[in-house]
Amino acid sequence: MKSLKKYSIPFTGLKLGKHLFEYDIQDDFFDEFEYSLVKKATLHCEVELDKQETMLILNFKIDGTIDTTCDRCLKVLPIQLDITEQQIAKFSDEPVDEDEEIITLGKNDHEIDVAGLIYEYINVAVPFISICGEGNTSTCDKEMLDKLNSLSANGEQSEQTDPRWDALKNMNK
């Protein structure tokens, strides 16, 4: 987690107003998270921190590519990401309702860690299903598709059932 230390923004010494922080996010960032969906990436993240009297407004802009695996042919598939998110951090010593999506910063807090937020925004943006060419099989690995088709054609079973189950077929009659 030491490599994630650079994603902590010290806000106590900053003047009121907007401040820009930039990060290049590579594979080593995702190595710090054990169960990350993303293993390889080339991303650029800009965090615009707007410091106000009672809160911080963080605007995230993340763009670049991540490598996923095609769910059809298992080929490496680069996915282009363009993420824009906003997070609000409020200065308060009072506990905030858990339903609110606001970070609470106490009197003793002097920095805000954005690594977890960046990680979360990227992983949520990963498509649930990744297929080469949006379903167009011309970009998929032909050898793998041929193997899958041959296995599925040979694996078809006839309508023969196990005779032990035949007695159950007559139960609804």
Side-chain angles (χ1 to χ4, degrees):
M1 290 296 210
K2 281 187 175 182
S3 67
L4 296 180
K5 184 70 177 157
K6 65 182 177 184
Y7 298 97
S8 290
I9 300 173
F11 56 83
T12 52
L14 297 176
K15 295 180 181 179
L16 295 180
K18 295 183 180 183
H19 306 274
L20 186 66
F21 298 89
E22 295 186 51
Y23 305 101
D24 288 321
I25 300 169
Q26 305 291 327
D27 307 345
D28 58 339
F29 175 82
F30 297 100
D31 291 342
E32 295 293 328
F33 299 94
E34 189 174 352
Y35 298 108
S36 177
L37 295 174
V38 178
K39 299 295 180 196
K40 294 193 175 283
T42 305
L43 298 164
H44 182 75
C45 175
E46 293 179 359
V47 180
E48 181 188 72
L49 183 143
D50 185 3
K51 184 175 181 184
Q52 299 178 1
E53 289 287 334
T54 59
M55 71 176 109
L56 301 174
I57 300 173
L58 299 155
N59 292 306
F60 293 84
K61 172 83 171 99
I62 306 169
D63 58 353
T65 59
I66 60 170
D67 285 348
T68 60
T69 304
C70 175
D71 291 332
R72 180 176 287 137
C73 70
L74 303 179
K75 181 178 171 182
V76 174
L77 177 65
I79 302 284
Q80 184 70 31
L81 294 182
D82 187 16
I83 304 165
T84 305
E85 291 288 339
Q86 185 178 69
Q87 179 66 53
I88 297 173
K90 178 173 112 172
F91 298 119
S92 175
D93 285 329
E94 300 172 15
V96 179
D97 292 340
E98 290 186 24
D99 293 341
E100 291 186 44
E101 296 181 8
I102 297 175
I103 297 172
T104 305
L105 300 170
K107 290 178 185 176
N108 296 332
D109 293 327
H110 61 279
E111 63 184 14
I112 184 166
D113 183 18
V114 295
L117 294 170
I118 294 170
Y119 171 76
E120 187 177 309
Y121 296 145
I122 293 168
N123 277 282
V124 168
V126 173
F128 187 66
I129 298 174
S130 302
I131 300 174
C132 295
E134 299 294 323
N136 179 6
T137 58
S138 65
T139 57
C140 277
D141 183 358
K142 293 289 187 196
E143 185 179 327
M144 180 61 83
L145 291 176
D146 292 342
K147 183 71 174 174
L148 286 171
N149 288 334
S150 69
L151 289 173
S152 66
N154 293 339
E156 288 183 22
Q157 295 180 355
S158 62
E159 288 295 318
Q160 293 179 351
T161 59
D162 189 334
R164 294 175 287 182
W165 295 103
D166 290 340
L168 295 176
K169 287 182 183 178
N170 298 327
M171 286 184 68
N172 285 341
K173 294 181 182 178

